[in-house]
Amino acid sequence: MEKIFELRPKKDLLDPTFEGYKLSLDALPVYKHEVPVAVEHLKPSDEQLSYSHVKTFGLHNHLIEDPWSDEIAFFISKDLQIFKINLHSLASQNPEFTSVWQIPQRSERRDGWFNASMSFASSELAVVTDGGGVLHIIDTNIRTSTHSHTWEVKLSNTIMGSGEPFKVIHSILNAEEGSQLETLSVLVLKVESIDQVESQIALSTFGCSEKETPFINCLEWIEYEHKDGNLSFKQLKRLAIPHGLDYASILSPGKSICLIAREPFGIIFDSTRNVAAPLPSPQIDEDEAENKVAYTWAETPEEVTLWVNFDKQTSKHDLVVKIESQTLKIVHKNQTYLDGELAHAISVDTSTWTLSDGKLEIILSKNNQSLNWSHLVLNDLRGRKVLDAETAAEYETVLNTTKDTQPGNGGRPPIFSSEQLEECDDDMMDETYIFRFDGETNQFTHKAILSGQLLFFTESAPGLAPAFCLRHDVDGLIWQPMGDELEQPWGCLHTAALQALGYIQASKEQRKFTVAPPDMTYAALCDAFTHVYIYRQPNCSSTGVEMVHRPTGRKVGNIARQQVLNIDSSEECLGAMATNTFLLILTSSSLFAIRVNSD
């Protein structure tokens, strides 16, 4: 069971006397620059119609922040060039846009791909994807506004050979204590059809079905070993999140992750171990095997057929059937039902399985048709060999009759069945939670219900997970997930407060991005088109304008102010980023730099 913890605000960061923002008509310097190449902006294809697809495309921020350098920012153009922006040059007539790397283009047509994305794992390492299923790990050297080193590819590959489009969420490089070995951890997000997800347990374990969740979010946690300048694949873990993912990050030193989502969800695949519950260890002898038959099977010279009976309501999403040349595995929900070595080798390509009215039928094509099988699975005595399908059906009828007449229920139907529930009786969990997931145990160790709506998330100091902002009453509170190095119970630290931001954001129906700088002196809400709203906090210095309290004539230095700007562009806002000095707005062809504070 997860340990329940609370998100406790620090009272000294709250301001119960806050009276509101004063509208300021002060003009802010706005610098408009044309970008060298139009910004990439892919939209969902005709098949990508789920809410998860729309959210992944619509809220993608095309401006990429570098936690290791506050002098630069990046964007990716439509021809897949990565451009570096020198922030110090934006107040001049000659801004510096430098192409630092060209993402290899594998196809002219990119229908169904996600927008290209990038994350910085360290001061000299970046993780990039073209949005179409290929992950690139890049040696960037030191990234500053003055250094112009050539980026070099260290590794390029598809994740576990899937080739499905994905988005890079977060990455971090951690050093192993007492060794020169480093581990690169990467989080990527996929939105996959329920029939395409590779899983070691049945997806119905987490409430997945073709009707309710035809597409599900898959969060993949990939690790690479970095030693002597070389990278090698270490492991992959996959979590299924049917009802959407709001936030995910890797916690330092890379042994766990933090995520915000709705239940139910959980791990469905681990490349280093099986996540399904193993077969019960007690073995049965030949005398007991007659009364504990789990499956029937028959053979012909060409093939072997296996039958297993489940509840009639069982669907294909309740089962995982893995057929390999020498092994067979069946998982029902999250419990292994059959797993072992086959008597002889089979042809995987021509072997199939079907499910009808709860009866699973598996047809295995023999490689050597001259061999007769004395058993199906090595050391498994729960199988009964029969002559054909008709004999198997008769045998199953006898077994079911025996079960129904056994003492315990007297052959009576169950008192209650979940099938009797009406739709109004369904108790769906609408609450959103924050979790810590331990990668060593594959268990969720900590859990807290979110006290308010998730407003936005923002980059933190190098090596830390991104912080997130939650609504608390009318305010927006910044929370920093703790790393695992701290010798105290895990949780999230309250680090700052943005006054009345929760109330303000709720009123902005056209809002696309909310951003705040590292010093949290202001927050900016950017509409999809034209409007930008800036809310200066009470601790934000005035920009050279003295405020006067009219009744008393008293000069007021620090006051919370609101400023509204109209961006000179009809194009959609594709990215937003806040620094302590500038607010950056990116459209398809232009970059706007708004000087909010003095240097």
Side-chain angles (χ1 to χ4, degrees):
M1 287 293 294
E2 308 96 342
K3 181 179 180 180
I4 305 299
F5 71 99
E6 291 183 292
L7 299 175
R8 297 185 178 180
K10 294 182 179 179
K11 292 184 178 181
D12 57 338
L13 295 178
L14 304 178
D15 184 5
T17 63
F18 181 75
E19 296 181 354
Y21 293 93
K22 307 299 181 184
L23 180 63
S24 173
L25 301 180
D26 297 340
L28 292 176
V30 179
Y31 306 92
K32 180 180 179 180
H33 304 292
E34 300 298 317
V35 296
V37 183
V39 178
E40 181 197 42
H41 184 206
L42 300 182
K43 296 183 179 181
S45 65
D46 293 339
E47 291 77 26
Q48 295 172 318
L49 299 176
S50 71
Y51 171 73
S52 294
H53 282 112
V54 173
K55 181 179 178 181
T56 303
F57 280 92
L59 298 183
H60 180 77
N61 195 334
H62 294 257
L63 268 176
I64 304 165
E65 190 173 351
D66 187 348
W68 275 266
S69 177
D70 58 1
E71 305 173 342
I72 53 178
F74 297 85
F75 72 88
I76 301 174
S77 64
K78 66 179 183 180
D79 61 357
L80 296 182
Q81 291 187 74
I82 299 177
F83 281 92
K84 179 178 71 174
I85 308 168
N86 181 352
L87 301 185
H88 296 306
S89 69
L90 294 181
S92 67
Q93 296 297 320
N94 298 305
E96 295 180 16
F97 297 97
T98 307
S99 178
V100 292
W101 195 59
Q102 172 71 59
I103 302 176
Q105 298 193 47
R106 298 180 290 128
S107 173
E108 292 294 331
R109 294 179 58 85
R110 301 177 64 202
D111 294 341
W113 288 25
F114 288 168
N115 288 283
S117 54
M118 177 170 64
S119 171
F120 294 104
S122 72
S123 59
E124 299 184 15
L125 206 64
V127 178
V128 182
T129 177
D130 58 1
V134 176
L135 188 73
H136 305 279
I137 301 172
I138 311 297
D139 182 0
T140 65
N141 291 296
I142 299 296
R143 300 183 301 272
T144 65
S145 59
T146 56
H147 288 75
S148 299
H149 295 294
T150 303
W151 290 16
E152 299 178 355
V153 180
K154 297 181 71 68
L155 182 68
S156 294
N157 64 359
T158 56
I159 297 178
M160 295 295 289
S162 65
E164 294 295 325
F166 61 83
K167 175 182 179 180
V168 176
I169 300 293
H170 188 224
S171 63
I172 188 170
L173 182 68
N174 290 286
E176 298 285 344
E177 291 186 9
S179 72
Q180 297 181 348
L181 182 67
E182 294 179 310
T183 300
L184 172 64
S185 301
V186 184
L187 286 182
V188 304
L189 177 66
K190 295 181 177 180
V191 182
E192 293 188 279
S193 168
I194 188 172
D195 293 324
Q196 301 296 322
V197 178
E198 182 181 0
S199 175
Q200 294 172 338
I201 62 176
L203 294 176
S204 63
T205 306
F206 307 110
C208 299
S209 67
E210 286 182 324
K211 180 180 179 181
E212 299 294 333
T213 54
F215 293 92
I216 63 175
N217 290 268
C218 288
L219 181 68
E220 298 193 349
W221 178 8
I222 313 108
E223 289 188 345
Y224 297 89
E225 287 187 347
H226 186 219
K227 187 176 183 180
D228 300 328
N230 298 316
L231 281 163
S232 60
F233 174 81
K234 182 179 179 181
Q235 66 177 353
L236 178 145
K237 299 177 188 291
R238 180 179 299 119
L239 284 78
I241 309 175
H243 302 292
L245 176 70
D246 293 324
Y247 169 93
S249 64
I250 303 162
L251 302 174
S252 176
K255 303 296 184 184
S256 61
I257 61 176
C258 174
L259 60 159
I260 297 176
R262 280 179 52 198
E263 292 184 311
F265 62 92
I267 185 167
I268 60 172
F269 181 87
D270 188 332
S271 62
T272 62
R273 64 183 118 164
N274 198 340
V275 300
L279 278 169
S281 55
Q283 298 295 322
I284 60 175
D285 56 33
E286 294 184 5
D287 295 333
E288 297 176 299
E290 183 69 28
N291 297 323
K292 294 189 177 181
V293 174
Y295 57 91
T296 54
W297 64 283
E299 70 170 320
T300 66
E302 296 81 19
E303 60 192 24
V304 174
T305 306
L306 164 72
W307 296 278
V308 183
N309 277 9
F310 297 101
D311 293 335
K312 287 190 175 182
Q313 293 78 21
T314 300
S315 74
K316 64 180 180 179
H317 300 299
D318 295 320
L319 298 172
V320 175
V321 180
K322 188 174 183 181
I323 304 173
E324 296 184 343
S325 62
Q326 198 66 57
T327 60
L328 174 65
K329 184 173 185 178
I330 303 172
V331 177
H332 180 238
K333 298 295 180 76
N334 62 347
Q335 175 67 54
T336 302
Y337 189 87
L338 179 65
D339 186 14
E341 182 180 346
L342 295 171
H344 301 286
I346 62 168
S347 173
V348 177
D349 294 338
T350 54
S351 298
T352 61
W353 67 275
T354 58
L355 179 71
S356 177
D357 291 332
K359 186 169 186 176
L360 172 65
E361 180 180 88
I362 303 176
I363 300 177
L364 307 175
S365 300
K366 291 182 178 180
N367 266 353
N368 190 338
Q369 298 182 5
S370 64
L371 294 176
N372 289 326
W373 290 33
S374 61
H375 61 274
L376 182 70
V377 176
L378 185 65
N379 297 328
D380 193 319
L381 302 178
R382 300 172 303 143
R384 167 66 62 180
K385 188 174 183 180
V386 295
L387 293 177
D388 50 29
E390 183 178 349
T391 309
E394 294 174 356
Y395 190 83
E396 290 295 338
T397 301
V398 173
L399 283 179
N400 292 335
T401 303
T402 303
K403 292 177 183 177
D404 291 340
T405 57
Q406 285 179 350
N409 63 358
R412 295 187 298 271
I415 297 175
F416 170 77
S417 170
S418 60
E419 297 298 318
Q420 299 170 356
L421 287 174
E422 300 290 341
E423 185 176 353
C424 61
D425 298 318
D426 191 13
D427 184 21
M428 287 294 293
M429 296 296 290
D430 292 328
E431 292 87 359
T432 302
Y433 295 88
I434 179 169
F435 293 88
R436 176 188 178 273
F437 177 78
D438 190 300
E440 296 182 347
T441 62
N442 283 348
Q443 299 293 325
F444 292 96
T445 61
H446 295 73
K447 171 183 177 180
I449 186 170
L450 292 195
S451 55
Q453 178 189 3
L454 178 66
L455 302 181
F456 69 96
F457 52 89
T458 183
E459 290 289 349
S460 299
L464 294 179
F468 55 88
C469 182
L470 297 178
R471 178 169 180 171
H472 176 77
D473 196 5
V474 298
D475 299 332
L477 305 188
I478 305 296
W479 297 91
Q480 176 64 58
M482 296 165 54
D484 291 332
E485 311 97 328
L486 301 179
E487 296 182 357
Q488 60 183 14
W490 187 82
C492 299
L493 302 177
H494 177 205
T495 59
L498 297 170
Q499 308 300 329
L501 184 66
Y503 176 79
I504 292 167
Q505 181 162 309
S507 67
K508 299 294 185 287
E509 295 182 355
Q510 300 300 317
R511 179 197 67 88
K512 186 173 183 181
F513 298 112
T514 300
V515 293
D519 62 7
M520 296 294 162
T521 53
Y522 68 92
L525 281 71
C526 309
D527 282 353
F529 295 92
T530 310
H531 296 103
V532 177
Y533 306 89
I534 299 174
Y535 294 89
R536 295 178 180 272
Q537 299 304 296
N539 61 342
C540 178
S541 61
S542 61
T543 55
V545 179
E546 291 186 349
M547 306 291 289
V548 178
H549 186 247
R550 290 181 179 177
T552 62
R554 177 174 56 87
K555 294 182 178 180
V556 181
N558 295 331
I559 188 170
R561 288 174 293 153
Q562 173 192 2
Q563 293 172 286
V564 182
L565 288 84
N566 290 329
I567 298 300
D568 181 21
S569 175
S570 60
E571 297 177 332
E572 182 181 355
C573 175
L574 301 182
M577 173 181 158
T579 72
N580 295 340
T581 304
F582 287 103
L583 171 64
L584 305 182
I585 305 295
L586 182 68
T587 67
S588 178
S589 63
S590 303
L591 176 68
F592 295 86
I594 305 167
R595 185 185 288 275
V596 180
N597 294 320
S598 302
D599 290 331

